Amino acid sequence: MEKRLKVYVYEEGEVPMIHDGPCKDIYTIEGRFIHEIEHGDGKFRTRDAERAHVYFMPFSVTWMVKYLYKPLTYNLTPLRQFVSDYVSVISAKYPFWNTTQGADHFMLACHDWGPHASQGHPVLYNTSIRVLCNANTSEGFNPQKDVSLPEIHLYGGNVNPKLLSPPPPNSPRPFLAFFAGGLHGPIRPILLQHWMGRDTDLRVYEYLPKDMDYYSLMLQSKYCLCPSGHEVASPRIVEAIYSECVPVILSDHYVLPFSDVLRWEAFSVKVEASEIPRLKEVLKAISEEKYTRLKEGVRAVRRHFELNQPAKRFDVFHMILHSVWLRRINLKLG
C-alpha cells in the first residue's frame, strides 16, 4: 500500500464544512484525517485524478451539524441535502463517480450522525466506502465495503500527559475494572444497575467524585469497561489502549476498528450484555497468564491508534488508509 496507493482529494467546496473538521474534541479523528490528507507530506495524495485508486470527499459531518442543524429539531434533512448536493457537483464535473458508481470513493465521519448524512445519496450509502465511527451493523454499516473508525477524544487537541507514558508493566493495578460515564443508551443502565457502588474491586460510577481522577483510575485498573452509549463507538476503547488497561467491549452490533488485520481477542475482552450481572465472575475467570498476554497485546497495538503530526508509519492515519486500500483492491470495477 505504501508504495502504490494514490488518493485524489476533491478540491470543490469551501471551509468550514469542506476541507476542515474538528481537531480538539470527541470527533477529533474527523478533522485530523482531513488535515493530514490535504496538508501532510503528500505521500498518498495525487493531484492527477487519472492516477488515483480512490477518491476522497473531504466534507465534515460534524461541521454540518454545527452549521446546518437546528438544535432540538432532530431534522437531519439539511445534512442529507448537503451530501446529495456535493455528490451532484463532483459527478457532474468529473467522470470518476459515474465510471464506478461511486464504488472507489470514500467519505469519513466520526459524528454519530455520519451514517444518517450518508443517506443523502443512495449510491454513496449503498456502494461507496463509508469510514465511520458509528460502525453499527444494525443501522446499515457493511463491513465488506465500509471502514470502522476509532473514536479518539483529545481534550484541547492533545493526549492527556498521564497517558503518554503509562507506568512500567510490573506496576500494581489494584482495581479489577473501572468505568465512569453518563447514563445513556441501552447497555450502561444495566451496567450501573448491577455494579455502581456495589463492589470496591469493580469501580463503576456514573459521575466520578471530584476527588478522583479519571485517567489515574484507568492506570490503576486491569480492565477498562467500554460500554456503548446511544451509539456503538466509545472513546474509552482508545483511552484504555493508551493507558494499557485491557478494554472490555460491552457493545452490540459494533464492528471493531481495523479488525481486518488486528486480532481484537488478543488484546481485549468481549462481554455480552446478558453477562453483565456476572461481570466480576467473568473477569476473575481470566487467568493471570492470559491477562498478561492481553496487556502485552494492548501495548503492541497502541501505535495503530496514535494520532501523530506529521503522520508516522503504522499509526491511525495509515491504518485508515490501509482499511480503505483493502476494500479498493477487493473491488471489482465494471
Side-chain angles (χ1 to χ4, degrees):
M1 179 201 82
E2 290 181 316
K3 293 181 179 179
R4 297 189 59 190
L5 176 63
K6 293 299 177 186
V7 181
Y8 181 78
V9 182
Y10 285 107
E11 297 183 1
E12 282 63 34
E14 299 178 354
V15 295
M17 289 181 286
I18 305 176
H19 308 299
D20 191 22
C23 294
K24 295 183 178 182
D25 65 8
I26 195 170
Y27 304 126
T28 293
I29 190 70
E30 194 173 296
R32 289 291 185 91
F33 182 87
I34 292 172
H35 281 257
E36 184 64 34
I37 198 71
E38 292 201 340
H39 306 294
D41 63 13
K43 177 179 179 180
F44 296 103
R45 185 178 183 181
T46 178
R47 296 184 184 275
D48 181 357
E50 298 287 351
R51 296 183 58 221
H53 299 100
V54 289
Y55 300 81
F56 178 50
M57 299 171 284
F59 52 71
S60 167
V61 174
T62 303
W63 280 174
M64 288 181 209
V65 174
K66 181 176 180 179
Y67 294 106
L68 299 178
Y69 172 70
K70 292 182 179 180
L72 304 179
T73 64
Y74 298 99
N75 178 13
L76 305 187
T77 300
L79 280 62
R80 298 189 185 104
Q81 188 61 54
F82 187 94
V83 170
S84 177
D85 292 345
Y86 186 86
V87 172
S88 295
V89 167
I90 63 169
S91 62
K93 187 173 181 178
Y94 302 93
F96 311 109
W97 176 274
N98 299 314
T99 299
T100 67
Q101 287 298 294
D104 54 358
H105 285 57
F106 74 101
M107 60 164 283
L108 181 144
C110 196
H111 195 280
D112 294 348
W113 290 345
H116 299 287
S118 71
Q119 290 175 343
H121 197 284
V123 176
L124 186 156
Y125 184 86
N126 292 306
T127 307
S128 299
I129 301 167
R130 299 179 305 152
V131 184
L132 303 169
C133 284
N134 190 6
N136 188 338
T137 57
S138 72
E139 297 180 0
F141 183 88
N142 179 358
Q144 299 302 312
K145 74 170 190 69
D146 297 327
V147 173
S148 179
L149 183 65
E151 197 167 272
I152 304 175
H153 194 174
L154 296 187
Y155 299 88
N158 298 298
V159 177
N160 186 282
K162 293 181 179 179
L163 303 185
L164 291 176
S165 300
N170 58 353
S171 298
R173 291 188 176 244
F175 305 126
L176 178 65
F178 167 67
F179 169 77
L183 186 64
H184 59 84
I187 292 179
R188 294 186 189 186
I190 302 172
L191 177 64
L192 270 65
Q193 174 191 346
H194 286 279
W195 294 108
M196 186 171 67
R198 300 287 185 90
D199 194 304
T200 56
D201 213 14
L202 265 70
R203 309 301 290 263
V204 175
Y205 305 87
E206 181 178 3
Y207 300 106
L208 198 63
K210 292 183 178 180
D211 61 342
M212 295 184 178
D213 179 72
Y214 183 84
Y215 293 119
S216 294
L217 284 167
M218 276 193 153
L219 292 164
Q220 295 177 75
S221 301
K222 296 174 69 175
Y223 299 94
C224 286
L225 309 179
C226 304
S228 59
H230 289 309
E231 305 299 347
V232 292
S234 170
R236 287 169 184 79
I237 295 175
V238 173
E239 290 172 338
I241 291 170
Y242 286 177
S243 59
E244 296 184 4
C245 178
V246 177
V248 178
I249 311 299
L250 297 162
S251 186
D252 295 329
H253 313 296
Y254 183 32
V255 178
L256 291 161
F258 314 138
S259 50
D260 299 301
V261 292
L262 297 184
R263 293 176 52 248
W264 279 82
E265 65 273 18
F267 60 92
S268 70
V269 177
K270 178 77 167 71
V271 176
E272 300 296 329
S274 61
E275 292 291 283
I276 288 176
R278 298 181 52 250
L279 185 57
K280 184 173 183 177
E281 180 184 346
V282 170
L283 296 180
K284 282 285 191 180
I286 298 173
S287 68
E288 194 63 28
E289 181 183 3
K290 182 177 179 180
Y291 164 71
T292 300
R293 290 199 304 270
L294 289 169
K295 189 178 177 185
E296 290 171 350
V298 170
R299 195 176 308 118
V301 301
R302 176 185 173 124
R303 63 176 178 168
H304 301 311
F305 294 89
E306 291 179 338
L307 274 168
N308 298 299
Q309 287 184 304
K312 298 179 181 179
R313 293 186 73 198
F314 306 112
D315 70 2
V316 70
F317 176 75
H318 287 77
M319 293 294 287
I320 294 166
L321 287 180
H322 183 255
S323 295
V324 171
W325 168 249
L326 289 179
R327 281 146 185 81
R328 174 60 182 84
I329 61 176
N330 289 330
L331 184 67
K332 295 180 180 179
L333 301 179

